[in-house]
Amino acid sequence: MAITRRSLLQMIAGTSGALLAGRTFGNSNHSGPRAGTVDWTQLQNNVKGRVVVRGRADYESDRHTMAWNAVKPERFPDAIVHVASENDVSEAIRFARRHKLKVAIRGGGHNWHNAALRQGGVLLDLSRLNQLQVDVEQRKAVVQPGVTGAAFIANLAPHWLAFPVGHCPNVGLSGFLLNGGLGWNYGNWGPSCASIEALDIVDARGELIRADQHRNADLLWAARGAGPGFFGVVTRFHLKVFPLPRAILRSSLVYPIEDFDKVAAWLPEIARSVPAELMFSFYNREIEIQAWAFADTVADARNALQALETEPAGLHARSKHLNRESSVDEVFGAVNENSGPGPRYAGDGVWSNASSQDLLHKVRDSILAAPSDSSWVEFHLPQVQVRPQLPDMAFSVFASIHVGVYSNWNDAEHDAANRAWVRSTIASLEPLKVGYYVGESDLTVAANRAQQCFSPSAWGKLIELKRKYDPHNVFFSYLQHP
Ligand SMILES: Cc1cc2nc3c(=O)[nH]c(=O)nc-3n(C[C@H](O)[C@H](O)[C@H](O)COP(=O)(O)OP(=O)(O)OC[C@H]3O[C@@H](n4cnc5c(N)ncnc54)[C@H](O)[C@@H]3O)c2cc1C
Protein backbone atom coordinates (compact mmCIF):
# COMPACT_ATOMS: atom_id res chain seq x y z
CA MET A 1 0.00 0.00 0.00
CA ALA A 2 1.41 3.36 -0.95
CA ILE A 3 1.17 5.80 1.93
CA THR A 4 -0.07 9.13 0.66
CA ARG A 5 -0.59 12.22 2.73
CA ARG A 6 -4.34 11.78 2.41
CA SER A 7 -4.38 8.10 3.42
CA LEU A 8 -2.10 8.92 6.31
CA LEU A 9 -4.47 11.57 7.62
CA GLN A 10 -7.38 9.20 7.18
CA MET A 11 -5.56 6.55 9.15
CA ILE A 12 -4.68 8.96 11.93
CA ALA A 13 -8.24 10.24 12.10
CA GLY A 14 -9.70 6.73 11.95
CA THR A 15 -12.12 5.78 14.68
CA SER A 16 -10.38 2.49 15.35
CA GLY A 17 -7.73 4.44 17.24
CA ALA A 18 -10.12 4.98 20.12
CA LEU A 19 -11.04 1.30 20.21
CA LEU A 20 -7.41 0.31 20.46
CA ALA A 21 -6.45 3.03 22.89
CA GLY A 22 -6.38 0.81 25.94
CA ARG A 23 -4.68 -2.16 24.30
CA THR A 24 -1.06 -2.73 25.06
CA PHE A 25 1.47 -5.36 24.24
CA GLY A 26 1.47 -8.73 25.95
CA ASN A 27 1.07 -9.64 29.59
CA SER A 28 3.56 -10.34 32.32
CA ASN A 29 3.98 -14.13 32.06
CA HIS A 30 7.75 -13.86 32.07
CA SER A 31 7.91 -11.31 34.81
CA GLY A 32 10.82 -12.73 36.85
CA PRO A 33 13.14 -12.01 38.37
CA ARG A 34 14.04 -15.32 39.86
CA ALA A 35 17.63 -14.51 39.06
CA GLY A 36 18.87 -15.27 42.57
CA THR A 37 17.93 -18.91 42.14
CA VAL A 38 19.27 -19.23 38.61
CA ASP A 39 22.34 -21.34 37.92
CA TRP A 40 23.94 -19.15 35.26
CA THR A 41 26.82 -21.57 34.73
CA GLN A 42 24.34 -23.77 32.87
CA LEU A 43 23.83 -20.98 30.38
CA GLN A 44 27.53 -20.17 30.15
CA ASN A 45 28.27 -23.84 29.46
CA ASN A 46 25.83 -23.85 26.53
CA VAL A 47 26.90 -20.66 24.76
CA LYS A 48 30.17 -19.59 23.16
CA GLY A 49 29.73 -15.92 24.10
CA ARG A 50 30.47 -14.42 27.51
CA VAL A 51 27.71 -14.29 30.15
CA VAL A 52 28.05 -11.39 32.60
CA VAL A 53 25.80 -11.83 35.62
CA ARG A 54 24.62 -8.98 37.82
CA GLY A 55 26.76 -8.85 40.95
CA ARG A 56 29.99 -9.68 39.14
CA ALA A 57 32.76 -7.08 39.47
CA ASP A 58 32.70 -6.22 35.77
CA TYR A 59 28.90 -6.13 35.47
CA GLU A 60 28.39 -2.38 35.82
CA SER A 61 31.09 -1.38 33.33
CA ASP A 62 29.72 -3.98 30.94
CA ARG A 63 26.17 -2.67 31.39
CA HIS A 64 27.39 0.83 30.58
CA THR A 65 28.82 -0.27 27.24
CA MET A 66 25.39 -1.54 26.22
CA ALA A 67 24.09 2.02 25.80
CA TRP A 68 25.67 4.68 23.60
CA ASN A 69 24.00 7.53 25.51
CA ALA A 70 26.07 8.54 28.55
CA VAL A 71 22.82 8.90 30.52
CA LYS A 72 22.39 5.35 31.80
CA PRO A 73 18.98 4.29 33.03
CA GLU A 74 18.39 2.68 36.43
CA ARG A 75 17.46 -0.59 34.75
CA PHE A 76 19.58 -3.65 35.43
CA PRO A 77 19.36 -6.90 33.44
CA ASP A 78 20.01 -10.02 35.51
CA ALA A 79 22.60 -11.08 32.97
CA ILE A 80 24.12 -9.85 29.72
CA VAL A 81 24.93 -12.46 27.09
CA HIS A 82 27.43 -11.35 24.45
CA VAL A 83 26.20 -13.81 21.88
CA ALA A 84 28.73 -15.25 19.46
CA SER A 85 26.40 -17.17 17.15
CA GLU A 86 22.78 -17.69 16.20
CA ASN A 87 22.90 -20.83 18.30
CA ASP A 88 23.81 -18.72 21.34
CA VAL A 89 20.64 -16.70 20.75
CA SER A 90 18.53 -19.87 20.68
CA GLU A 91 20.19 -21.27 23.79
CA ALA A 92 19.78 -18.04 25.72
CA ILE A 93 16.10 -17.75 24.82
CA ARG A 94 15.40 -21.35 25.83
CA PHE A 95 17.28 -20.81 29.08
CA ALA A 96 15.31 -17.63 29.78
CA ARG A 97 12.03 -19.42 29.13
CA ARG A 98 12.90 -22.26 31.48
CA HIS A 99 13.61 -19.73 34.23
CA LYS A 100 10.69 -17.44 33.39
CA LEU A 101 13.05 -14.58 32.61
CA LYS A 102 12.28 -12.00 29.97
CA VAL A 103 14.59 -11.29 27.04
CA ALA A 104 15.86 -7.88 25.91
CA ILE A 105 17.81 -7.27 22.70
CA ARG A 106 20.67 -4.95 21.76
CA GLY A 107 21.98 -4.33 18.24
CA GLY A 108 24.31 -1.31 18.19
CA GLY A 109 23.03 0.27 21.43
CA HIS A 110 22.17 3.62 19.79
CA ASN A 111 18.54 3.86 20.86
CA TRP A 112 18.23 7.38 22.31
CA HIS A 113 16.35 6.10 25.35
CA ASN A 114 18.35 2.92 25.97
CA ALA A 115 15.53 0.58 25.01
CA ALA A 116 17.84 -2.41 25.29
CA LEU A 117 18.49 -1.90 29.00
CA ARG A 118 15.52 -3.30 30.91
CA GLN A 119 14.93 -4.24 34.51
CA GLY A 120 15.72 -7.91 35.08
CA GLY A 121 15.81 -10.63 32.49
CA VAL A 122 18.49 -11.58 30.01
CA LEU A 123 19.96 -8.99 27.66
CA LEU A 124 21.22 -10.41 24.37
CA ASP A 125 24.03 -8.25 23.00
CA LEU A 126 24.18 -8.96 19.26
CA SER A 127 27.04 -6.61 18.40
CA ARG A 128 29.47 -9.46 17.75
CA LEU A 129 27.21 -10.86 15.04
CA ASN A 130 28.70 -8.65 12.37
CA GLN A 131 28.95 -10.60 9.14
CA LEU A 132 28.15 -8.82 5.91
CA GLN A 133 27.85 -10.16 2.35
CA VAL A 134 27.19 -8.22 -0.84
CA ASP A 135 25.95 -9.76 -4.09
CA VAL A 136 26.99 -7.05 -6.53
CA GLU A 137 25.30 -8.54 -9.57
CA GLN A 138 21.93 -9.11 -7.91
CA ARG A 139 22.18 -5.85 -5.92
CA LYS A 140 21.46 -7.69 -2.68
CA ALA A 141 23.18 -7.81 0.69
CA VAL A 142 22.92 -9.78 3.91
CA VAL A 143 23.88 -7.96 7.11
CA GLN A 144 23.97 -9.09 10.71
CA PRO A 145 22.87 -6.89 13.63
CA GLY A 146 26.38 -5.76 14.62
CA VAL A 147 27.01 -4.03 11.28
CA THR A 148 27.01 -0.22 11.32
CA GLY A 149 25.90 2.07 8.51
CA ALA A 150 29.54 3.06 7.93
CA ALA A 151 30.69 -0.55 7.54
CA PHE A 152 27.83 -1.28 5.16
CA ILE A 153 28.56 1.72 2.92
CA ALA A 154 32.29 0.93 2.93
CA ASN A 155 31.44 -2.47 1.44
CA LEU A 156 28.91 -1.14 -1.07
CA ALA A 157 30.50 2.02 -2.45
CA PRO A 158 33.51 0.37 -4.18
CA HIS A 159 30.91 -1.50 -6.28
CA TRP A 160 28.96 1.69 -7.01
CA LEU A 161 26.20 0.55 -4.72
CA ALA A 162 24.57 2.31 -1.77
CA PHE A 163 21.83 2.04 0.83
CA PRO A 164 19.83 4.58 2.86
CA VAL A 165 21.91 4.15 6.02
CA GLY A 166 21.43 6.49 8.99
CA HIS A 167 22.80 10.00 8.99
CA CYS A 168 25.37 9.18 11.65
CA PRO A 169 27.55 6.42 10.26
CA ASN A 170 28.20 4.65 13.55
CA VAL A 171 24.53 3.96 14.19
CA GLY A 172 23.76 0.25 14.29
CA LEU A 173 21.85 -0.97 11.25
CA SER A 174 19.76 -3.43 13.15
CA GLY A 175 17.61 -1.21 15.37
CA PHE A 176 17.64 1.41 12.60
CA LEU A 177 16.15 -1.00 10.05
CA LEU A 178 13.51 -2.29 12.46
CA ASN A 179 12.49 1.28 13.30
CA GLY A 180 11.82 2.13 9.67
CA GLY A 181 15.17 3.72 8.91
CA LEU A 182 15.14 7.34 7.76
CA GLY A 183 18.48 7.22 6.00
CA TRP A 184 20.33 9.15 3.34
CA ASN A 185 18.28 9.79 0.20
CA TYR A 186 15.24 8.07 1.66
CA GLY A 187 13.07 10.51 -0.27
CA ASN A 188 14.03 8.52 -3.36
CA TRP A 189 14.94 5.13 -1.95
CA GLY A 190 12.19 4.97 0.65
CA PRO A 191 12.54 4.26 4.36
CA SER A 192 15.21 1.60 4.74
CA CYS A 193 12.80 -1.00 6.13
CA ALA A 194 11.06 -1.10 2.75
CA SER A 195 14.27 -2.64 1.37
CA ILE A 196 14.19 -5.59 3.78
CA GLU A 197 13.34 -8.58 1.59
CA ALA A 198 13.74 -11.32 4.17
CA LEU A 199 14.95 -11.92 7.70
CA ASP A 200 16.41 -14.75 9.72
CA ILE A 201 14.81 -14.59 13.14
CA VAL A 202 15.18 -16.56 16.34
CA ASP A 203 11.63 -16.62 17.64
CA ALA A 204 10.22 -16.80 21.17
CA ARG A 205 10.60 -20.61 21.17
CA GLY A 206 14.29 -20.29 20.35
CA GLU A 207 13.74 -21.57 16.79
CA LEU A 208 15.55 -20.04 13.82
CA ILE A 209 12.95 -19.17 11.18
CA ARG A 210 12.88 -17.28 7.89
CA ALA A 211 10.42 -14.45 7.22
CA ASP A 212 9.87 -13.30 3.65
CA GLN A 213 6.96 -12.74 1.29
CA HIS A 214 6.13 -16.46 1.24
CA ARG A 215 7.03 -17.65 4.74
CA ASN A 216 5.88 -15.85 7.88
CA ALA A 217 5.00 -12.85 5.74
CA ASP A 218 3.32 -11.17 8.71
CA LEU A 219 6.65 -11.18 10.56
CA LEU A 220 8.27 -9.44 7.59
CA TRP A 221 5.42 -6.91 7.73
CA ALA A 222 6.13 -6.29 11.43
CA ALA A 223 9.92 -6.12 11.08
CA ARG A 224 9.45 -3.27 8.64
CA GLY A 225 8.84 -0.65 11.30
CA ALA A 226 7.86 -2.26 14.64
CA GLY A 227 11.13 -0.97 16.13
CA PRO A 228 11.89 -1.75 19.77
CA GLY A 229 8.63 -3.68 20.21
CA PHE A 230 9.58 -6.35 17.68
CA PHE A 231 8.98 -9.87 19.00
CA GLY A 232 11.90 -11.93 17.75
CA VAL A 233 15.67 -11.66 17.45
CA VAL A 234 16.75 -10.79 13.92
CA THR A 235 20.09 -12.40 13.19
CA ARG A 236 20.27 -11.56 9.47
CA PHE A 237 18.67 -8.88 7.32
CA HIS A 238 18.42 -9.70 3.59
CA LEU A 239 18.38 -6.35 1.83
CA LYS A 240 17.92 -4.85 -1.59
CA VAL A 241 20.61 -2.24 -2.35
CA PHE A 242 20.72 0.65 -4.83
CA PRO A 243 23.01 2.05 -7.51
CA LEU A 244 25.18 4.77 -6.00
CA PRO A 245 24.19 8.12 -7.56
CA ARG A 246 26.97 9.36 -9.85
CA ALA A 247 26.69 12.92 -8.58
CA ILE A 248 26.15 14.07 -5.00
CA LEU A 249 26.22 17.82 -4.42
CA ARG A 250 25.78 19.67 -1.16
CA SER A 251 24.91 23.27 -0.45
CA SER A 252 24.94 24.82 2.99
CA LEU A 253 24.18 28.28 4.32
CA VAL A 254 24.63 29.49 7.89
CA TYR A 255 22.87 32.53 9.38
CA PRO A 256 23.10 34.22 12.76
CA ILE A 257 20.07 33.73 14.99
CA GLU A 258 19.28 37.45 14.54
CA ASP A 259 18.10 36.55 11.02
CA PHE A 260 15.54 34.13 12.45
CA ASP A 261 12.42 35.80 11.00
CA LYS A 262 13.86 36.31 7.53
CA VAL A 263 15.12 32.73 7.34
CA ALA A 264 11.80 31.42 8.66
CA ALA A 265 9.98 33.25 5.89
CA TRP A 266 12.31 31.75 3.24
CA LEU A 267 12.03 28.10 4.33
CA PRO A 268 8.67 27.24 2.72
CA GLU A 269 10.00 28.60 -0.58
CA ILE A 270 13.12 26.43 -0.25
CA ALA A 271 10.94 23.40 0.47
CA ARG A 272 8.97 24.10 -2.71
CA SER A 273 11.85 24.89 -5.04
CA VAL A 274 14.72 22.63 -3.95
CA PRO A 275 14.01 18.99 -4.87
CA ALA A 276 16.79 17.64 -2.68
CA GLU A 277 17.19 16.23 0.81
CA LEU A 278 16.88 19.20 3.17
CA MET A 279 17.95 19.69 6.73
CA PHE A 280 17.23 22.93 8.61
CA SER A 281 19.02 23.09 11.97
CA PHE A 282 18.28 25.73 14.61
CA TYR A 283 20.64 26.39 17.50
CA ASN A 284 20.36 29.18 20.04
CA ARG A 285 22.98 31.17 18.13
CA GLU A 286 22.69 30.17 14.52
CA ILE A 287 20.65 28.52 11.79
CA GLU A 288 22.00 26.15 9.16
CA ILE A 289 20.31 25.24 5.90
CA GLN A 290 21.73 22.16 4.23
CA ALA A 291 20.70 20.42 1.02
CA TRP A 292 22.02 17.29 -0.66
CA ALA A 293 21.14 16.44 -4.26
CA PHE A 294 21.61 12.82 -5.36
CA ALA A 295 21.49 12.62 -9.17
CA ASP A 296 22.82 10.90 -12.28
CA THR A 297 24.80 13.92 -13.44
CA VAL A 298 26.41 16.95 -11.86
CA ALA A 299 24.20 19.16 -14.02
CA ASP A 300 21.03 17.54 -12.66
CA ALA A 301 22.26 17.84 -9.09
CA ARG A 302 23.24 21.47 -9.59
CA ASN A 303 19.83 22.14 -11.07
CA ALA A 304 18.13 20.68 -8.00
CA LEU A 305 20.08 23.01 -5.69
CA GLN A 306 19.83 26.09 -7.90
CA ALA A 307 17.23 27.96 -5.85
CA LEU A 308 19.68 28.20 -2.95
CA GLU A 309 22.00 30.35 -5.06
CA THR A 310 19.74 33.39 -4.70
CA GLU A 311 19.08 34.57 -1.17
CA PRO A 312 16.05 36.78 -0.48
CA ALA A 313 16.74 40.50 -0.24
CA GLY A 314 18.35 41.41 3.07
CA LEU A 315 19.68 37.93 3.85
CA HIS A 316 23.41 37.33 3.66
CA ALA A 317 24.73 33.99 4.87
CA ARG A 318 27.58 34.17 7.35
CA SER A 319 29.01 31.11 5.65
CA LYS A 320 27.96 29.76 2.28
CA HIS A 321 29.05 26.68 0.30
CA LEU A 322 27.13 26.04 -2.88
CA ASN A 323 27.02 22.97 -5.12
CA ARG A 324 29.97 21.23 -3.53
CA GLU A 325 30.69 17.91 -5.17
CA SER A 326 30.84 15.44 -2.31
CA SER A 327 32.50 12.08 -2.04
CA VAL A 328 30.69 9.10 -0.56
CA ASP A 329 32.76 9.46 2.60
CA GLU A 330 31.91 13.13 2.96
CA VAL A 331 28.19 12.53 2.58
CA PHE A 332 27.72 9.36 4.54
CA GLY A 333 30.04 10.69 7.24
CA ALA A 334 28.75 14.25 7.10
CA VAL A 335 26.66 14.34 10.24
CA ASN A 336 29.16 12.29 12.15
CA GLU A 337 29.97 14.66 14.93
CA ASN A 338 27.03 13.63 17.09
CA SER A 339 27.58 9.91 16.91
CA GLY A 340 30.52 9.47 19.25
CA PRO A 341 29.98 8.11 22.73
CA GLY A 342 30.47 10.34 25.72
CA PRO A 343 28.04 13.19 26.04
CA ARG A 344 24.68 12.90 27.69
CA TYR A 345 21.86 13.02 25.18
CA ALA A 346 18.13 13.60 25.07
CA GLY A 347 16.08 13.47 21.91
CA ASP A 348 12.53 13.28 20.66
CA GLY A 349 10.69 14.11 17.45
CA VAL A 350 7.37 14.51 15.64
CA TRP A 351 6.10 14.08 12.11
CA SER A 352 4.28 17.06 10.65
CA ASN A 353 2.76 18.21 7.38
CA ALA A 354 2.69 21.85 8.51
CA SER A 355 4.90 24.39 6.77
CA SER A 356 8.42 24.94 8.08
CA GLN A 357 7.50 28.50 8.93
CA ASP A 358 4.49 27.49 11.05
CA LEU A 359 6.54 24.85 12.83
CA LEU A 360 9.33 27.30 13.46
CA HIS A 361 7.01 29.81 15.05
CA LYS A 362 5.88 27.13 17.50
CA VAL A 363 9.43 26.43 18.66
CA ARG A 364 10.92 29.90 18.31
CA ASP A 365 10.96 30.68 22.04
CA SER A 366 12.36 27.25 22.88
CA ILE A 367 15.21 27.63 20.42
CA LEU A 368 16.19 30.99 21.84
CA ALA A 369 16.07 29.52 25.37
CA ALA A 370 17.98 26.32 24.53
CA PRO A 371 20.01 25.18 27.54
CA SER A 372 23.26 24.83 25.63
CA ASP A 373 24.91 25.56 22.29
CA SER A 374 24.58 21.84 21.66
CA SER A 375 20.79 21.84 21.90
CA TRP A 376 19.09 22.03 18.57
CA VAL A 377 15.89 21.61 16.62
CA GLU A 378 16.20 19.95 13.24
CA PHE A 379 13.69 19.87 10.40
CA HIS A 380 14.38 17.00 8.05
CA LEU A 381 12.59 17.09 4.71
CA PRO A 382 13.25 14.05 2.54
CA GLN A 383 11.65 15.93 -0.39
CA VAL A 384 10.20 12.93 -2.10
CA GLN A 385 10.73 13.33 -5.82
CA VAL A 386 9.38 9.99 -7.01
CA ARG A 387 7.50 8.53 -4.08
CA PRO A 388 8.39 4.88 -4.09
CA GLN A 389 5.55 2.44 -3.99
CA LEU A 390 5.94 1.51 -0.37
CA PRO A 391 4.71 -1.92 0.69
CA ASP A 392 2.08 -2.32 3.38
CA MET A 393 4.17 -2.46 6.55
CA ALA A 394 4.22 -1.62 10.24
CA PHE A 395 5.99 1.66 9.38
CA SER A 396 2.73 3.48 8.74
CA VAL A 397 3.06 7.04 10.00
CA PHE A 398 5.00 9.31 7.70
CA ALA A 399 4.77 13.03 6.85
CA SER A 400 6.61 15.66 4.85
CA ILE A 401 8.77 16.90 7.75
CA HIS A 402 10.35 15.13 10.67
CA VAL A 403 11.12 17.59 13.45
CA GLY A 404 13.82 16.33 15.79
CA VAL A 405 14.59 18.03 19.10
CA TYR A 406 17.96 17.13 20.58
CA SER A 407 20.26 18.17 23.35
CA ASN A 408 23.64 17.03 24.53
CA TRP A 409 25.61 18.09 27.57
CA ASN A 410 28.33 16.80 29.87
CA ASP A 411 27.30 17.15 33.51
CA ALA A 412 24.66 15.03 35.23
CA GLU A 413 23.52 18.12 37.11
CA HIS A 414 22.15 19.46 33.81
CA ASP A 415 20.11 16.34 33.05
CA ALA A 416 16.83 17.72 34.32
CA ALA A 417 17.11 21.05 32.47
CA ASN A 418 17.97 19.43 29.16
CA ARG A 419 15.28 16.77 29.40
CA ALA A 420 12.71 19.39 30.36
CA TRP A 421 13.74 21.50 27.37
CA VAL A 422 13.29 18.61 24.94
CA ARG A 423 9.90 17.73 26.44
CA SER A 424 8.55 21.28 26.45
CA THR A 425 9.77 21.91 22.90
CA ILE A 426 8.05 18.76 21.68
CA ALA A 427 4.92 19.72 23.61
CA SER A 428 4.78 23.04 21.75
CA LEU A 429 4.68 21.12 18.45
CA GLU A 430 1.81 18.84 19.49
CA PRO A 431 -0.91 20.88 17.72
CA LEU A 432 0.88 20.44 14.38
CA LYS A 433 1.93 16.82 14.70
CA VAL A 434 0.76 13.87 12.63
CA GLY A 435 2.42 11.25 14.82
CA TYR A 436 5.82 10.07 15.98
CA TYR A 437 8.72 8.08 14.55
CA VAL A 438 9.39 5.07 16.78
CA GLY A 439 13.14 5.32 16.11
CA GLU A 440 13.51 8.80 17.58
CA SER A 441 10.49 9.22 19.80
CA ASP A 442 10.82 9.27 23.58
CA LEU A 443 8.56 6.34 24.42
CA THR A 444 9.04 7.00 28.13
CA VAL A 445 6.90 10.14 27.93
CA ALA A 446 3.57 8.31 28.05
CA ALA A 447 2.19 4.79 27.85
CA ASN A 448 0.39 5.60 24.60
CA ARG A 449 3.42 7.14 22.87
CA ALA A 450 4.38 3.89 21.12
CA GLN A 451 0.86 3.55 19.78
CA GLN A 452 1.07 7.02 18.24
CA CYS A 453 4.00 5.88 16.12
CA PHE A 454 1.65 3.69 14.08
CA SER A 455 -1.61 3.96 12.20
CA PRO A 456 -4.53 2.55 14.22
CA SER A 457 -4.77 -0.50 11.98
CA ALA A 458 -1.02 -1.17 12.10
CA TRP A 459 -1.05 -0.90 15.91
CA GLY A 460 -3.93 -3.38 16.10
CA LYS A 461 -2.09 -5.78 13.81
CA LEU A 462 1.11 -5.50 15.86
CA ILE A 463 -0.81 -6.44 19.01
CA GLU A 464 -2.26 -9.49 17.27
CA LEU A 465 1.13 -10.55 15.92
CA LYS A 466 2.78 -10.14 19.30
CA ARG A 467 0.20 -12.57 20.69
CA LYS A 468 0.78 -14.97 17.82
CA TYR A 469 4.59 -15.00 17.83
CA ASP A 470 5.29 -14.31 21.50
CA PRO A 471 2.24 -15.69 23.36
CA HIS A 472 4.14 -16.05 26.64
CA ASN A 473 5.57 -12.55 26.42
CA VAL A 474 9.17 -13.69 26.44
CA PHE A 475 10.46 -10.50 24.84
CA PHE A 476 10.33 -7.10 26.47
CA SER A 477 8.18 -4.73 24.50
CA TYR A 478 8.19 -0.94 24.09
CA LEU A 479 9.40 1.07 27.06
CA GLN A 480 6.36 1.82 29.24
CA HIS A 481 4.70 -1.42 28.11
CA PRO A 482 4.85 -4.61 30.18
C1 LIG B 1 23.50 9.71 16.83
C2 LIG B 1 22.26 9.05 16.31
C3 LIG B 1 21.88 9.25 14.99
C4 LIG B 1 20.74 8.65 14.48
N1 LIG B 1 20.39 8.86 13.17
C5 LIG B 1 19.28 8.28 12.67
C6 LIG B 1 18.90 8.46 11.31
O1 LIG B 1 19.56 9.15 10.54
N2 LIG B 1 17.76 7.88 10.89
C7 LIG B 1 17.01 7.09 11.71
O2 LIG B 1 16.00 6.54 11.25
N3 LIG B 1 17.34 6.88 12.98
C8 LIG B 1 18.45 7.46 13.49
N4 LIG B 1 18.79 7.27 14.80
C9 LIG B 1 17.91 6.43 15.62
C10 LIG B 1 18.23 4.95 15.37
O3 LIG B 1 17.37 4.46 14.38
C11 LIG B 1 18.03 4.15 16.64
O4 LIG B 1 18.87 4.66 17.63
C12 LIG B 1 18.29 2.66 16.44
O5 LIG B 1 17.76 1.98 17.54
C13 LIG B 1 19.75 2.32 16.31
O6 LIG B 1 19.91 0.93 16.15
P1 LIG B 1 20.71 0.05 17.23
O7 LIG B 1 20.89 -1.30 16.65
O8 LIG B 1 21.91 0.77 17.68
O9 LIG B 1 19.61 0.02 18.38
P2 LIG B 1 19.74 -0.64 19.85
O10 LIG B 1 19.80 0.47 20.84
O11 LIG B 1 20.79 -1.66 19.89
O12 LIG B 1 18.35 -1.39 19.96
C14 LIG B 1 17.16 -0.72 20.24
C15 LIG B 1 16.06 -1.74 20.27
O13 LIG B 1 15.80 -2.21 18.94
C16 LIG B 1 15.47 -3.60 18.98
N5 LIG B 1 16.47 -4.36 18.23
C17 LIG B 1 17.69 -3.96 17.85
N6 LIG B 1 18.29 -4.92 17.14
C18 LIG B 1 17.44 -5.96 17.09
C19 LIG B 1 17.48 -7.24 16.48
N7 LIG B 1 18.54 -7.65 15.78
N8 LIG B 1 16.41 -8.06 16.62
C20 LIG B 1 15.31 -7.65 17.30
N9 LIG B 1 15.22 -6.45 17.90
C21 LIG B 1 16.27 -5.61 17.79
C22 LIG B 1 15.47 -4.01 20.44
O14 LIG B 1 14.16 -3.89 20.95
C23 LIG B 1 16.38 -2.98 21.06
O15 LIG B 1 16.13 -2.80 22.44
C24 LIG B 1 19.94 7.85 15.33
C25 LIG B 1 20.31 7.64 16.66
C26 LIG B 1 21.46 8.24 17.15
C27 LIG B 1 21.83 8.02 18.57
Side-chain angles (χ1 to χ4, degrees), residues 66-69 103-118 123-126 129 144-147 164-184 186 192 199-202 226-237 277 279 335-340 345 376 378 380 395 406 437-441 475-479:
M66 293 296 95
W68 161 86
N69 193 335
V103 174
I105 306 159
R106 175 194 188 258
H110 267 78
N111 178 279
W112 289 99
H113 311 286
N114 301 319
L117 282 174
R118 307 301 285 260
L123 170 58
L124 304 183
D125 168 28
L126 307 177
L129 302 184
Q144 286 203 295
V147 175
V165 296
H167 293 79
C168 293
N170 296 329
V171 172
L173 270 182
S174 125
F176 167 82
L177 284 164
L178 290 169
N179 286 334
L182 311 179
W184 282 110
Y186 82 90
S192 312
L199 307 114
D200 294 338
I201 297 169
V202 181
F230 187 65
F231 23 83
V233 181
V234 181
T235 56
R236 281 169 212 272
F237 295 87
E277 181 161 344
M279 216 177 264
V335 195
N336 194 14
E337 65 267 24
N338 298 320
S339 61
Y345 274 84
W376 76 105
E378 186 174 279
H380 189 194
F395 182 84
Y406 309 99
Y437 171 44
V438 78
E440 299 263 321
S441 181
F475 295 110
F476 280 103
S477 184
Y478 300 104
L479 287 165

Side-chain angles (χ1 to χ4, degrees), residues 115-133:
L117 282 174
R118 307 301 285 260
Q119 184 55 39
V122 179
L123 170 58
L124 304 183
D125 168 28
L126 307 177
S127 58
R128 284 162 183 74
L129 302 184
N130 56 9
Q131 289 174 11
L132 188 167
Q133 287 126 25

